[in-house]
Coordinates of all heavy atoms in Angstrom, one line a residue:
I1 N -15.2 1.3 -46.1 CA -15.6 1.8 -44.8 C -14.3 2.2 -44.1 O -13.2 1.8 -44.4 CB -16.3 0.7 -44.0 CG1 -15.4 -0.4 -43.7 CG2 -17.6 0.3 -44.7 CD1 -16.0 -1.4 -42.7
T2 N -14.5 3.0 -43.1 CA -13.4 3.5 -42.2 C -13.8 3.0 -40.8 O -14.9 3.2 -40.4 CB -13.3 5.0 -42.3 OG1 -12.9 5.3 -43.6 CG2 -12.1 5.4 -41.3
I3 N -12.8 2.4 -40.1 CA -13.0 2.1 -38.7 C -11.8 2.7 -37.9 O -10.7 2.8 -38.5 CB -13.2 0.6 -38.4 CG1 -11.9 -0.1 -38.8 CG2 -14.4 0.1 -39.2 CD1 -12.0 -1.6 -38.4
V4 N -12.0 2.9 -36.6 CA -10.9 3.4 -35.8 C -10.8 2.4 -34.6 O -11.8 2.1 -34.0 CB -11.2 4.8 -35.3 CG1 -10.2 5.3 -34.2 CG2 -11.3 5.7 -36.5
I5 N -9.7 2.0 -34.3 CA -9.4 1.1 -33.1 C -8.6 1.9 -32.2 O -7.5 2.4 -32.4 CB -8.6 -0.1 -33.5 CG1 -9.3 -0.9 -34.7 CG2 -8.5 -1.0 -32.2 CD1 -10.7 -1.4 -34.4
N6 N -9.2 2.2 -31.0 CA -8.5 3.0 -30.0 C -7.8 2.1 -29.0 O -8.2 1.0 -28.8 CB -9.5 3.9 -29.2 CG -10.1 5.0 -30.1 OD1 -9.4 5.6 -30.8 ND2 -11.4 5.2 -29.9
E7 N -6.7 2.6 -28.4 CA -6.1 1.9 -27.4 C -6.9 1.7 -26.2 O -7.8 2.6 -25.9 CB -4.8 2.6 -26.9 CG -3.7 2.6 -27.9 CD -2.4 3.2 -27.4 OE1 -2.1 2.9 -26.2 OE2 -1.8 4.0 -28.1
V8 N -6.7 0.6 -25.5 CA -7.4 0.4 -24.2 C -6.8 1.3 -23.2 O -5.6 1.4 -23.0 CB -7.4 -1.0 -23.7 CG1 -8.0 -1.2 -22.3 CG2 -7.9 -2.0 -24.7
P9 N -7.7 2.1 -22.5 CA -7.1 3.1 -21.5 C -6.4 2.3 -20.4 O -6.9 1.3 -20.0 CB -8.3 3.9 -21.0 CG -9.5 3.1 -21.4 CD -9.1 2.3 -22.6
N10 N -5.2 2.8 -20.0 CA -4.5 2.1 -18.9 C -4.8 2.9 -17.6 O -4.2 3.9 -17.3 CB -3.0 2.2 -19.2 CG -2.2 1.4 -18.2 OD1 -2.7 0.7 -17.3 ND2 -0.9 1.5 -18.2
A11 N -5.8 2.3 -16.9 CA -6.2 2.9 -15.6 C -5.1 2.6 -14.5 O -4.5 1.5 -14.5 CB -7.5 2.3 -15.2
A12 N -4.9 3.5 -13.7 CA -3.9 3.3 -12.6 C -4.5 2.4 -11.6 O -5.7 2.3 -11.4 CB -3.7 4.7 -11.9
P13 N -3.6 1.6 -11.0 CA -4.0 0.6 -9.9 C -4.7 1.4 -8.8 O -4.3 2.5 -8.5 CB -2.8 -0.1 -9.5 CG -1.8 0.2 -10.5 CD -2.2 1.5 -11.2
S14 N -5.5 0.7 -8.0 CA -6.1 1.2 -6.8 C -5.5 0.5 -5.6 O -5.6 -0.7 -5.5 CB -7.6 1.0 -6.8 OG -8.2 1.4 -5.6
V15 N -4.9 1.2 -4.7 CA -4.3 0.7 -3.5 C -5.0 1.2 -2.3 O -5.2 2.4 -2.2 CB -2.8 1.0 -3.4 CG1 -2.2 0.4 -2.2 CG2 -2.1 0.6 -4.7
T16 N -5.4 0.3 -1.3 CA -6.1 0.7 -0.2 C -5.4 0.2 1.1 O -5.2 -1.1 1.1 CB -7.6 0.2 -0.2 OG1 -8.2 0.8 -1.4 CG2 -8.3 0.7 1.0
I17 N -5.1 1.0 2.0 CA -4.6 0.5 3.3 C -5.8 0.2 4.2 O -6.6 1.0 4.5 CB -3.7 1.5 4.0 CG1 -2.5 1.7 3.1 CG2 -3.3 1.0 5.4 CD1 -1.5 2.9 3.6
T18 N -5.9 -1.1 4.6 CA -7.0 -1.5 5.5 C -6.7 -1.6 7.0 O -7.6 -1.6 7.8 CB -7.7 -2.8 5.0 OG1 -6.7 -3.8 5.0 CG2 -8.3 -2.7 3.6
A19 N -5.4 -1.6 7.3 CA -5.0 -1.6 8.7 C -3.5 -1.2 8.7 O -2.7 -1.6 7.7 CB -5.1 -3.0 9.4
P20 N -3.1 -0.5 9.6 CA -3.8 0.1 10.8 C -4.7 1.3 10.3 O -4.5 1.8 9.3 CB -2.8 0.5 11.7 CG -1.6 0.9 10.8 CD -1.6 -0.1 9.7
N21 N -5.6 1.6 11.2 CA -6.5 2.8 10.9 C -5.7 4.1 10.9 O -4.7 4.2 11.6 CB -7.6 2.9 11.9 CG -8.6 1.7 11.9 OD1 -8.8 1.2 10.8 ND2 -9.1 1.3 13.0
N22 N -6.2 5.0 10.1 CA -5.5 6.4 10.1 C -5.6 7.0 11.5 O -6.5 6.8 12.2 CB -6.3 7.3 9.2 CG -5.6 8.6 8.8 OD1 -4.4 8.6 8.8 ND2 -6.3 9.6 8.6
N23 N -4.5 7.6 11.9 CA -4.3 8.3 13.2 C -4.3 7.3 14.3 O -4.5 7.7 15.5 CB -5.4 9.3 13.4 CG -5.2 10.5 12.4 OD1 -4.1 11.0 12.1 ND2 -6.3 10.9 11.8
A24 N -4.0 6.0 14.1 CA -3.9 5.1 15.2 C -2.6 5.3 16.0 O -1.6 5.9 15.5 CB -3.8 3.6 14.6
T25 N -2.7 5.1 17.3 CA -1.6 5.3 18.2 C -1.2 4.0 18.8 O -2.0 3.2 19.3 CB -2.0 6.3 19.3 OG1 -2.4 7.5 18.7 CG2 -0.9 6.6 20.3
F26 N 0.2 3.7 18.9 CA 0.7 2.5 19.5 C 1.9 2.9 20.4 O 2.5 3.9 20.2 CB 1.3 1.6 18.4 CG 0.3 1.2 17.3 CD1 0.1 2.0 16.2 CD2 -0.5 0.1 17.5 CE1 -0.9 1.7 15.2 CE2 -1.5 -0.2 16.6 CZ -1.7 0.5 15.4
T27 N 2.1 2.0 21.4 CA 3.2 2.2 22.3 C 4.4 1.5 21.6 O 4.3 0.5 20.9 CB 2.9 1.4 23.6 OG1 1.8 2.0 24.1 CG2 4.1 1.5 24.6
A28 N 5.6 2.1 21.8 CA 6.8 1.6 21.2 C 7.0 0.1 21.5 O 6.7 -0.3 22.7 CB 8.0 2.4 21.7
G29 N 7.4 -0.7 20.5 CA 7.5 -2.1 20.7 C 6.3 -3.0 20.5 O 6.4 -4.2 20.4
T30 N 5.2 -2.3 20.3 CA 4.0 -3.0 20.0 C 4.0 -3.6 18.6 O 4.4 -2.9 17.7 CB 2.7 -2.1 20.1 OG1 2.6 -1.6 21.4 CG2 1.4 -2.8 19.7
T31 N 3.5 -4.8 18.4 CA 3.4 -5.3 17.0 C 2.3 -4.7 16.3 O 1.1 -4.7 16.8 CB 3.2 -6.9 17.1 OG1 4.4 -7.5 17.7 CG2 3.1 -7.5 15.7
I32 N 2.5 -4.1 15.1 CA 1.5 -3.5 14.3 C 1.3 -4.3 13.1 O 2.2 -4.7 12.3 CB 2.0 -2.1 13.9 CG1 2.3 -1.3 15.2 CG2 0.9 -1.4 13.1 CD1 3.0 0.0 14.9
N33 N 0.0 -4.7 12.8 CA -0.3 -5.4 11.6 C -0.7 -4.5 10.5 O -1.5 -3.6 10.7 CB -1.5 -6.3 11.9 CG -1.1 -7.3 13.0 OD1 -0.1 -8.0 12.9 ND2 -2.0 -7.5 13.9
F34 N 0.0 -4.6 9.4 CA -0.3 -3.8 8.2 C -1.0 -4.7 7.1 O -0.5 -5.8 6.8 CB 1.0 -3.2 7.6 CG 1.7 -2.3 8.4 CD1 2.6 -2.7 9.5 CD2 1.5 -0.9 8.3 CE1 3.3 -1.8 10.2 CE2 2.2 0.0 9.1 CZ 3.1 -0.5 10.1
T35 N -2.1 -4.2 6.6 CA -2.8 -5.0 5.6 C -3.4 -4.0 4.5 O -3.7 -2.8 4.8 CB -4.0 -5.8 6.1 OG1 -5.0 -5.0 6.7 CG2 -3.5 -6.9 7.1
G36 N -3.4 -4.5 3.3 CA -3.9 -3.6 2.2 C -4.3 -4.5 1.0 O -4.0 -5.7 0.9
T37 N -4.9 -3.7 0.1 CA -5.3 -4.4 -1.2 C -4.9 -3.5 -2.4 O -4.7 -2.3 -2.2 CB -6.8 -4.6 -1.3 OG1 -7.4 -3.3 -1.2 CG2 -7.3 -5.6 -0.2
A38 N -4.6 -4.2 -3.5 CA -4.2 -3.5 -4.7 C -4.9 -4.2 -5.9 O -4.7 -5.4 -6.0 CB -2.7 -3.4 -4.9
T39 N -5.6 -3.4 -6.7 CA -6.2 -4.0 -7.8 C -5.9 -3.1 -9.1 O -5.8 -1.9 -9.0 CB -7.7 -4.2 -7.6 OG1 -8.3 -2.9 -7.3 CG2 -8.0 -5.2 -6.5
D40 N -6.0 -3.8 -10.2 CA -5.7 -3.1 -11.5 C -6.7 -3.6 -12.5 O -6.9 -4.8 -12.6 CB -4.3 -3.3 -12.0 CG -4.0 -2.6 -13.2 OD1 -3.8 -1.3 -13.1 OD2 -3.9 -3.2 -14.2
A41 N -7.4 -2.7 -13.2 CA -8.3 -3.1 -14.3 C -7.8 -4.1 -15.3 O -8.4 -5.0 -15.7 CB -8.9 -1.9 -15.0
E42 N -6.5 -3.9 -15.7 CA -5.9 -4.7 -16.7 C -5.2 -6.0 -16.1 O -5.3 -7.0 -16.6 CB -4.8 -3.9 -17.4 CG -5.3 -2.8 -18.3 CD -5.6 -1.5 -17.5 OE1 -5.0 -1.2 -16.5 OE2 -6.5 -0.8 -17.9
D43 N -4.6 -5.8 -14.9 CA -3.8 -7.0 -14.3 C -4.5 -7.6 -13.1 O -3.9 -8.6 -12.6 CB -2.4 -6.4 -13.9 CG -1.7 -5.9 -15.1 OD1 -1.7 -6.5 -16.2 OD2 -1.0 -4.8 -15.0
G44 N -5.6 -7.2 -12.7 CA -6.3 -7.9 -11.6 C -5.8 -7.6 -10.2 O -5.4 -6.4 -9.9
N45 N -5.7 -8.6 -9.4 CA -5.2 -8.5 -8.0 C -3.7 -8.4 -7.9 O -3.0 -9.2 -8.4 CB -5.7 -9.7 -7.2 CG -5.4 -9.6 -5.7 OD1 -4.6 -8.7 -5.3 ND2 -6.0 -10.4 -4.9
L46 N -3.2 -7.2 -7.4 CA -1.8 -6.9 -7.3 C -1.4 -6.8 -5.8 O -0.3 -6.4 -5.5 CB -1.5 -5.6 -8.0 CG -1.7 -5.6 -9.5 CD1 -1.5 -4.2 -10.0 CD2 -1.0 -6.6 -10.3
S47 N -2.2 -7.3 -4.9 CA -2.0 -7.1 -3.5 C -0.6 -7.7 -3.1 O 0.1 -7.1 -2.2 CB -3.0 -7.7 -2.7 OG -4.3 -7.1 -2.9
A48 N -0.1 -8.8 -3.7 CA 1.1 -9.4 -3.3 C 2.3 -8.5 -3.7 O 3.4 -8.7 -3.1 CB 1.3 -10.7 -4.0
S49 N 2.1 -7.5 -4.5 CA 3.2 -6.6 -5.0 C 3.2 -5.3 -4.3 O 4.0 -4.4 -4.7 CB 3.0 -6.4 -6.5 OG 3.1 -7.6 -7.2
I50 N 2.4 -5.1 -3.3 CA 2.4 -3.8 -2.5 C 3.8 -3.6 -1.9 O 4.3 -4.5 -1.2 CB 1.3 -3.7 -1.5 CG1 -0.1 -3.8 -2.1 CG2 1.4 -2.5 -0.7 CD1 -1.2 -3.9 -1.2
N51 N 4.3 -2.4 -2.0 CA 5.5 -2.0 -1.3 C 5.1 -0.9 -0.3 O 4.5 0.1 -0.6 CB 6.6 -1.4 -2.2 CG 7.2 -2.4 -3.2 OD1 7.7 -3.4 -2.7 ND2 7.0 -2.3 -4.5
W52 N 5.4 -1.3 1.0 CA 5.1 -0.4 2.1 C 6.3 0.4 2.6 O 7.4 -0.1 2.6 CB 4.6 -1.3 3.3 CG 3.4 -2.1 3.0 CD1 3.3 -3.2 2.3 CD2 2.1 -1.7 3.4 NE1 2.1 -3.7 2.3 CE2 1.3 -2.8 3.0 CE3 1.5 -0.8 4.1 CZ2 -0.1 -2.8 3.2 CZ3 0.1 -0.7 4.4 CH2 -0.7 -1.8 3.9
S53 N 6.0 1.7 2.9 CA 7.2 2.5 3.5 C 6.6 3.5 4.6 O 5.5 3.8 4.6 CB 7.9 3.2 2.3 OG 7.0 4.1 1.7
S54 N 7.6 4.0 5.3 CA 7.3 4.9 6.4 C 8.2 6.2 6.1 O 9.4 6.0 5.7 CB 7.7 4.4 7.7 OG 7.9 5.5 8.6
N55 N 7.7 7.4 6.3 CA 8.5 8.6 6.0 C 9.7 8.6 7.1 O 10.6 9.4 6.8 CB 7.7 9.8 6.1 CG 7.1 10.1 7.4 OD1 6.6 9.2 8.2 ND2 7.1 11.4 7.8
R56 N 9.6 7.9 8.2 CA 10.6 8.0 9.2 C 11.6 6.8 9.1 O 12.8 7.0 9.3 CB 10.0 7.9 10.6 CG 9.2 9.2 11.0 CD 8.7 9.1 12.4 NE 9.8 9.1 13.4 CZ 10.3 10.1 13.9 NH1 9.9 11.4 13.5 NH2 11.3 10.1 14.8
D57 N 11.1 5.6 8.8 CA 11.9 4.4 8.8 C 12.2 3.8 7.4 O 12.8 2.8 7.4 CB 11.3 3.3 9.7 CG 11.3 3.7 11.2 OD1 12.0 4.6 11.6 OD2 10.5 3.1 11.9
G58 N 11.7 4.4 6.4 CA 11.9 3.9 5.0 C 11.1 2.7 4.7 O 10.0 2.5 5.2
S59 N 11.7 1.7 4.0 CA 11.0 0.5 3.5 C 10.6 -0.3 4.7 O 11.4 -0.6 5.6 CB 11.9 -0.3 2.6 OG 11.2 -1.5 2.2
L60 N 9.3 -0.8 4.8 CA 8.8 -1.6 5.9 C 8.5 -3.0 5.4 O 8.6 -3.9 6.3 CB 7.5 -1.0 6.4 CG 7.6 0.4 7.0 CD1 6.2 0.9 7.4 CD2 8.5 0.5 8.1
G61 N 8.1 -3.3 4.2 CA 7.8 -4.6 3.9 C 7.1 -4.6 2.5 O 6.8 -3.6 1.9
T62 N 6.7 -5.9 2.1 CA 6.0 -6.0 0.9 C 4.8 -7.0 1.0 O 4.8 -7.8 2.0 CB 6.9 -6.6 -0.2 OG1 7.5 -7.8 0.2 CG2 8.1 -5.6 -0.6
G63 N 3.9 -6.9 0.1 CA 2.8 -7.9 0.1 C 1.5 -7.3 0.7 O 1.5 -6.2 1.1
A64 N 0.5 -8.1 0.8 CA -0.8 -7.7 1.3 C -0.9 -7.5 2.8 O -1.7 -6.8 3.3 CB -1.9 -8.7 0.8
S65 N 0.0 -8.3 3.4 CA 0.0 -8.1 4.9 C 1.4 -8.5 5.5 O 2.1 -9.3 5.0 CB -1.1 -8.9 5.6 OG -0.8 -10.3 5.4
F66 N 1.7 -7.9 6.6 CA 2.9 -8.2 7.4 C 2.8 -7.5 8.7 O 1.9 -6.7 8.9 CB 4.2 -7.7 6.6 CG 4.3 -6.2 6.5 CD1 5.1 -5.5 7.4 CD2 3.7 -5.5 5.5 CE1 5.2 -4.1 7.3 CE2 3.7 -4.1 5.4 CZ 4.5 -3.4 6.4
S67 N 3.7 -7.7 9.6 CA 3.7 -7.1 11.0 C 5.1 -6.6 11.3 O 6.1 -7.2 10.8 CB 3.3 -8.2 12.0 OG 2.0 -8.7 11.8
R68 N 5.1 -5.5 12.0 CA 6.4 -4.9 12.5 C 6.2 -4.5 14.0 O 5.2 -4.0 14.3 CB 6.7 -3.7 11.7 CG 7.2 -3.9 10.3 CD 8.6 -4.5 10.1 NE 9.6 -3.6 10.5 CZ 10.3 -2.8 9.8 NH1 10.1 -2.7 8.5 NH2 11.3 -2.0 10.3
A69 N 7.3 -4.7 14.8 CA 7.2 -4.2 16.2 C 8.4 -3.3 16.4 O 8.6 -2.9 17.6 CB 7.3 -5.5 17.0
N70 N 9.1 -2.9 15.5 CA 10.3 -2.1 15.7 C 10.3 -0.7 15.0 O 11.4 -0.2 14.7 CB 11.6 -2.9 15.3 CG 11.5 -3.2 13.8 OD1 10.5 -3.1 13.1 ND2 12.7 -3.6 13.3
L71 N 9.2 -0.1 14.9 CA 9.1 1.2 14.3 C 9.6 2.3 15.3 O 9.5 2.1 16.5 CB 7.7 1.6 13.9 CG 7.1 0.8 12.8 CD1 5.7 1.3 12.5 CD2 7.9 0.8 11.6
S72 N 10.3 3.3 14.8 CA 10.9 4.3 15.7 C 9.8 5.1 16.3 O 8.7 5.3 15.8 CB 11.9 5.2 14.9 OG 11.2 5.8 13.8
V73 N 10.1 5.7 17.4 CA 9.2 6.6 18.1 C 8.9 7.9 17.3 O 9.9 8.4 16.7 CB 9.7 7.0 19.5 CG1 8.8 8.0 20.2 CG2 9.8 5.7 20.4
G74 N 7.7 8.3 17.2 CA 7.3 9.5 16.4 C 6.1 9.2 15.5 O 5.6 8.1 15.4
T75 N 5.7 10.2 14.8 CA 4.6 10.2 13.8 C 5.1 9.7 12.5 O 6.1 10.2 12.0 CB 4.0 11.5 13.7 OG1 3.5 12.0 15.0 CG2 2.8 11.5 12.7
H76 N 4.5 8.6 12.0 CA 4.8 8.0 10.7 C 3.7 8.3 9.7 O 2.6 8.2 10.0 CB 4.9 6.5 10.9 CG 6.1 6.0 11.7 ND1 7.2 5.6 11.2 CD2 6.3 6.1 13.0 CE1 8.1 5.3 12.2 NE2 7.5 5.6 13.3
V77 N 4.1 8.6 8.5 CA 3.2 8.6 7.3 C 3.5 7.3 6.6 O 4.6 7.1 6.1 CB 3.4 9.9 6.4 CG1 2.5 9.8 5.2 CG2 3.2 11.1 7.3
I78 N 2.5 6.4 6.5 CA 2.7 5.1 5.9 C 2.1 5.2 4.5 O 1.1 5.8 4.2 CB 1.9 4.0 6.7 CG1 2.4 4.0 8.1 CG2 2.0 2.7 5.9 CD1 3.8 3.7 8.3
T79 N 2.9 4.7 3.6 CA 2.6 4.7 2.1 C 2.6 3.3 1.6 O 3.5 2.5 1.9 CB 3.6 5.6 1.3 OG1 3.6 6.9 1.9 CG2 3.2 5.6 -0.2
A80 N 1.6 3.0 0.8 CA 1.5 1.6 0.1 C 1.4 1.9 -1.3 O 0.5 2.7 -1.8 CB 0.3 0.8 0.6
K81 N 2.3 1.4 -2.1 CA 2.3 1.6 -3.6 C 2.3 0.3 -4.3 O 3.0 -0.7 -3.8 CB 3.6 2.4 -4.0 CG 3.7 3.7 -3.5 CD 4.9 4.4 -4.1 CE 5.1 5.8 -3.6 NZ 6.2 6.5 -4.1

């Protein structure tokens, strides 16, 4: 007989930012809570490994949640990886 064993496909993790909401507006100095989730089919819950960044201020923090009150004035694009 002949059989074929295929590799298990490596699906990319799924990362979701749950707070703050998209297009939210804050006054300078306000504490902003960042929360998110990350899951992977092979590795399970990866939320503790999320790296957060801003296109204006660079690295912001790590993990599923944290708070910042010192973001620079202007529009930020927040990324969670």
Side-chain angles (χ1 to χ4, degrees):
I1 67 168
T2 301
I3 63 169
V4 176
I5 308 298
N6 292 320
E7 288 186 42
V8 175
N10 185 8
S14 172
V15 180
T16 303
I17 296 174
T18 55
N21 291 328
N22 192 32
N23 296 315
T25 301
F26 301 92
T27 301
T30 300
T31 299
I32 303 168
N33 298 312
F34 294 86
T35 59
T37 60
T39 57
D40 183 75
E42 292 81 30
D43 297 319
N45 185 344
L46 300 174
S47 298
S49 300
I50 297 173
N51 289 301
W52 298 79
S53 63
S54 159
N55 67 320
R56 293 184 64 87
D57 292 343
S59 180
L60 297 177
T62 60
S65 65
F66 68 97
S67 298
R68 290 285 296 261
N70 61 343
L71 295 181
S72 61
V73 172
T75 301
H76 293 256
V77 176
I78 303 300
T79 304
K81 293 183 180 181

